[in-house]
C-alpha cells in the first residue's frame, strides 16, 4: 500500500475518499481510530492508503482536483 495523504482534517479526508470511491480506486484510511483516541494533540494523523499499482492514478486524480499540495512525497 502506498501512502497518499496524512492529515486529521475531516473535510479533506471526506473529499479524498469521495474522489477515490468515485474513481473506483480501492483505499483505506489508516489510524482513524488512533487519531480519535489521542484527542486534540494531533500527534497521530490519519493516512490515506491505496494499492501500489493504483498509486500513480490516485496521485493524478488528486492533482487534477487541486489537492496535490496534500500529497506525501
Amino acid at each position: 500500500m502506498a501512502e497518499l495523504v496524512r492529515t486529521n482534517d475531516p473535510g479533506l479526508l471526506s473529499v479524498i475518499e469521495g474522489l477515490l470511491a468515485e474513481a473506483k480506486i480501492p483505499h483505506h484510511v489508516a489510524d482513524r481510530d488512533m487519531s480519535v483516541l489521542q484527542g486534540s494533540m494531533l500527534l497521530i494523523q490519519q493516512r490515506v492508503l491505496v494499492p501500489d499499482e493504483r498509486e500513480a492514478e490516485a496521485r493524478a486524480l488528486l492533482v487534477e482536483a487541486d489537492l496535490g499540495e496534500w500529497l506525501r512525497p
Side-chain angles (χ1 to χ4, degrees):
M1 296 290 275
E3 181 180 339
L4 291 182
V5 175
R6 190 179 287 197
T7 185
N8 279 334
D9 182 329
L12 177 61
L13 286 169
S14 178
V15 168
I16 291 172
E17 286 187 279
L19 289 168
L20 293 172
E22 186 176 315
K24 298 190 181 352
I25 298 175
H27 61 282
H28 172 71
V29 179
D31 302 322
R32 192 181 305 250
D33 295 331
M34 290 302 296
S35 175
V36 170
L37 287 177
Q38 61 88 27
S40 63
M41 293 172 45
L42 303 176
L43 295 175
I44 300 174
Q45 293 185 316
Q46 298 173 63
R47 299 174 293 135
V48 179
L49 307 173
V50 297
D52 292 330
E53 62 273 7
R54 304 289 300 268
E55 179 182 7
E57 180 184 357
R59 285 181 175 275
L61 178 69
L62 295 185
V63 167
E64 186 177 309
D66 289 328
L67 297 173
E69 67 188 84
W70 294 98
L71 289 169
R72 300 283 293 176

